Amino acid sequence: MTGLLLFAALAGGVNWAAVWRGGPMGLALERATKPAVMLALIVAVLVWPSEPGSAAAVMVRPWLVAGLVASVAGDVLLLPPGRFVAGLVAFLLGHLAYLAAFILLPGSVPWLVAGVLAAAVLIATVGRALVRSATRVGLGGPVALYLVAICAMAVAATRTGEPAAILGAWLFVTSDAMLGWGRLRAPAPGMPRGGRRGLGVAVMVTYHLAQGLLVLALVA
């Protein structure tokens, strides 16, 4: 199990370097390492020992695995040149699976309120801008639906009050917001290639950290 987590971390580091490098070599490394990270996490979850007599672990783990499998599909679909809508659907299913997992865990009203307020601010600011941009290319409905799903997942994670769950969920939101901004919003005039690569690396760093934290939160 420890070896699998270390392999996932190593593959993630190579993936970040590949995204920064770009070009044919970088793309080849990205195609190999991007799904490798998630596959290692899936196997780690499957071999992770459950707490004896823990009914919650038994119920949560299948939803976690479903979310990770959907994420692998989304990763592959978004590899260059990328099938954005298909990848969006895959990650939508992943967030619904994570949402189901977090709903099974206990929570508190104050943390729920905090999550709802954070989601409301996000939707009213960044989310609103992304949906407007998506509408101009005929993707307003799917992007709005995705925004609601990922925010619902983040609210459910926040409700638990568990630091790993909260940080992982909102890092996932941050990663997807940056990805959507890069795909749907026009790049700044004169933005250097390094800036675009930097955004790509930021998307992957926050994404991999989010997935790792969600795994820790849901299996521990």
Side-chain angles (χ1 to χ4, degrees):
M1 183 178 64
T2 302
L4 287 166
L5 294 178
L6 289 174
F7 175 81
L10 177 62
V14 175
N15 178 261
W16 306 342
V19 172
W20 176 259
R21 177 186 176 91
M25 178 63 73
L27 180 58
L29 283 173
E30 188 180 356
R31 289 185 183 279
T33 56
K34 193 175 183 183
V37 175
M38 300 307 301
L39 290 173
L41 289 179
I42 291 172
V43 178
V45 170
L46 292 174
V47 302
W48 202 301
S50 300
E51 290 290 332
S54 175
V58 173
M59 292 187 295
V60 165
R61 195 161 304 196
W63 289 112
L64 172 58
V65 172
L68 292 171
V69 169
S71 296
V72 173
D75 283 343
V76 173
L77 289 168
L78 290 179
L79 283 169
R83 285 168 281 181
F84 184 74
V85 175
L88 195 73
V89 172
F91 277 110
L92 172 64
L93 295 175
H95 291 311
L96 293 177
Y98 289 142
L99 172 62
F102 283 120
I103 287 175
L104 292 170
L105 299 179
S108 68
V109 173
W111 279 111
L112 174 62
V113 172
V116 170
L117 290 176
V121 171
L122 176 80
I123 290 173
T125 55
V126 177
R128 185 180 180 185
L130 289 175
V131 171
R132 281 183 173 177
S133 297
T135 300
R136 288 196 287 267
V137 293
L139 293 174
V143 170
L145 179 62
Y146 186 87
L147 178 65
V148 171
I150 193 172
C151 284
M153 183 275 292
V155 169
T158 304
R159 167 186 158 274
T160 67
E162 293 292 336
I166 296 170
L167 182 58
W170 288 104
L171 277 175
F172 215 142
V173 173
T174 301
S175 177
D176 280 2
M178 290 190 293
L179 175 64
W181 200 270
R183 293 291 182 99
L184 299 171
R185 302 283 291 182
M191 182 179 184
R193 178 173 175 79
R196 291 192 293 271
R197 291 186 308 191
L199 178 62
V201 173
V203 168
M204 295 311 302
V205 170
T206 50
Y207 170 69
H208 286 144
L209 291 176
Q211 293 281 21
L213 287 167
L214 292 182
V215 165
L216 291 176
L218 289 169
V219 298

